[in-house]
Structure formats: C-alpha cells, structure tokens
Amino acid sequence: TKQEVLPELPPLIFETLSVDMTPNQKQIYDAIIEDINEEEPQLNLLTALKLLSNHPQLLKETEGNTIKQYGNMVVDLKSNKLNILLEFLEEQTKENKVVVFSQYTSMLDIISNHIKIPHTFIRGDYPKAWNDKNIEIFKTDSTCRILLSSDKGAFGINLQKANIIVNFDLPFNPAVFKQRIDRLYRMGQIKGVVCVNFVTNSTIEHRVLQILLNKINMIDNVIENSIEKQFTKQIFDIINNEKVM
C-alpha cells in the first residue's frame, strides 16, 4: 500500500515562495473582498480572487457580468508571480525537471508564451493521445525541462522523471493538492521531491496553504465534491471573519 512504501521513498520537502501584488492588483483585490457577502457566498467572486492573484490578464479576459466589472479595473497587466516563476525555472531547470501545475489552462498558456526553456504541456481539454505524446517527450528528452499541467490533464499519470512540483496556484480541494504531489512522489521516485507553493502576500492564499498542508495526510486520493464544498465554506468563513476584525 502507499503507506507501506512511503518509508522507502526519498524525502518530500515543502517550500513557500511568497510574492507581492502590484498596487493595481491590491486595489482590485480589496474591492472584491468588500463585495463578498456573508449571507450569500458567491463562488464567482472567489474565482475572481484566484484569477487576480495569478495574473490580472486572466481577470481582464474573463466573461461574465459579475467578474467583468473587476476586469474593467485592470490597468496594469504586470504579474510579479509570473516574473518570479520565470526566474525560478531559469535557475532550477539547470539540474532538475519541473512540473508546473495550474488549474487554469489560460494561465498555462501565458506561462508557455513567456518561457524560453524547452518545455511541453498537458491539459484536460486535449486528446489523450496528444497528452501521452507530450508526457513521453518530457520523460525521454533530456532537453525538455518543464511540463506545464492542468489538474485534469495530469489525472492518473506518473511523472517521477521530475523532482520539483510548482503549484502556481492552490486548488481549493485538499484531494487535488495531494494528487498533484502524488504524480511525482510515488514508487519509482529516486530523488528527493520539492513541492514549491507560490503564495501571494496580503491575500487568503497563505491561509489556504496552511489548511491544505494540515489536511494532506487526512484524505484519500479520491476527489469528492463534499471535500471541496467544505473547504470552500471554510475559505468564505475566513474572509468574512477577517472583514469583521
């Protein structure tokens, strides 16, 4: 079983990479937080917070009346999170293969457009044969140093050729968080694995990460809607409690 083989695996280390928002991001973030209603939690506003923390361009390009009003507030398309990721990859891929996770394929596209290092990507909305081909390239081509992956694209695959996981954004589901790690940290892994979590300062992401790390050993690999709903409610409670303080 997984519990029986864990002692035989190399170390798993968690690291946090904190990033500051731009002034424009902070202005929009505060506006969204102010509009979150305790009586009627709105999932689209939570989505807006996540998009904004990744890259203002995601918020600006999102359709839908509720989120679009915040997208119209975007005047600066700079993302410190993206810039620091590019610096991180430039350094770490010299000796390691890296898997970068984001739940948003549009974010993966932005990252791909900015990376100058040989890379490939997999995503849930692409055919399995196409994903399988790119996985094989990542595993066998020594020059291909980075795999960009959505959660659905990586479901059920083995990526032990890599030893660094980058969570560019944090899933609001502990089971998904654990599944990302399990793509690399499993039988056949011979190197120590480092899980690097990108977290935006002055946002709820630090609290989200804390909850994820606390719950990671308490769940199965099965993704259940009840887990995600419970986690989302917990995040809304945190936001509303902090607004009162």
Side-chain angles (χ1 to χ4, degrees):
T1 66
K2 184 68 180 290
Q3 292 301 319
E4 291 170 342
V5 301
L6 276 177
E8 302 174 12
L9 290 173
L12 170 63
I13 299 171
F14 291 94
E15 295 184 357
T16 302
L17 213 165
S18 299
V19 181
D20 290 329
M21 287 189 288
T22 65
N24 186 219
Q25 275 179 299
K26 185 67 169 66
Q27 176 192 13
I28 301 169
Y29 189 92
D30 290 344
I32 299 171
I33 289 289
E34 188 62 32
D35 289 342
I36 290 180
N37 189 311
E38 185 173 0
E39 285 73 32
E40 269 183 69
Q42 296 162 290
L43 291 176
N44 49 3
L45 294 186
L46 205 55
T47 298
L49 291 177
K50 294 162 75 174
L51 293 172
L52 177 65
S53 296
N54 272 5
H55 200 297
Q57 184 176 329
L58 299 183
L59 194 63
K60 192 173 184 65
E61 295 177 351
T62 299
E63 297 297 329
N65 293 333
T66 305
I67 294 183
K68 196 171 182 63
Q69 63 176 312
Y70 306 110
N72 291 336
M73 296 174 63
V74 175
V75 295
D76 183 1
L77 289 177
K78 179 182 177 183
S79 168
N80 291 331
K81 193 185 244 190
L82 174 62
N83 292 337
I84 291 179
L85 172 69
L86 297 177
E87 293 174 6
F88 175 88
L89 293 175
E90 189 72 33
E91 179 63 29
Q92 294 300 322
T93 53
K94 293 174 181 176
E95 297 183 2
N96 307 285
K97 287 205 172 194
V98 181
V99 179
V100 180
F101 282 103
S102 173
Q103 67 184 104
Y104 302 108
T105 55
S106 51
M107 188 66 235
L108 295 177
D109 290 338
I110 293 174
I111 295 171
S112 179
N113 289 336
H114 285 80
I115 292 178
K116 297 178 181 179
I117 304 163
H119 65 281
T120 188
F121 58 93
I122 56 175
R123 39 197 287 177
D125 56 346
Y126 277 28
K128 182 178 183 299
W130 192 93
N131 285 338
D132 288 346
K133 178 182 177 181
N134 281 344
I135 292 169
E136 189 63 22
I137 291 172
F138 179 68
K139 288 181 176 180
T140 59
D141 186 346
S142 61
T143 65
C144 183
R145 311 302 293 172
I146 304 166
L147 177 68
L148 306 177
S149 178
S150 66
D151 292 313
K152 289 183 179 179
F155 185 78
I157 66 172
N158 303 328
L159 298 169
Q160 300 99 316
K161 285 291 183 180
N163 63 301
I164 297 179
I165 308 160
V166 171
N167 289 316
F168 190 76
D169 47 56
L170 300 171
F172 284 12
N173 186 326
V176 175
F177 184 71
K178 189 171 188 295
Q179 283 191 348
R180 288 182 179 184
I181 296 168
D182 287 348
R183 298 310 101 216
L184 280 68
Y185 195 62
R186 57 193 302 125
M187 289 185 67
Q189 179 59 261
I190 59 175
K191 295 183 178 180
V193 173
V194 181
C195 177
V196 182
N197 301 295
F198 275 61
V199 175
T200 307
N201 291 327
S202 303
T203 72
I204 58 171
E205 289 187 345
H206 278 286
R207 296 293 298 276
V208 169
L209 178 59
Q210 181 182 6
I211 299 170
L212 287 170
L213 293 175
N214 287 341
K215 290 182 178 292
I216 192 170
N217 292 320
M218 300 167 56
I219 58 173
D220 299 319
N221 286 333
V222 179
I223 301 176
E224 300 177 359
N225 289 334
S226 59
I227 297 176
E228 187 164 8
K229 288 178 180 177
Q230 182 184 21
F231 192 90
T232 302
K233 181 182 182 303
Q234 197 169 358
I235 298 305
F236 275 120
D237 288 344
I238 290 171
I239 291 173
N240 287 311
N241 288 338
E242 290 183 349
K243 286 171 68 175
V244 173
M245 294 173 62

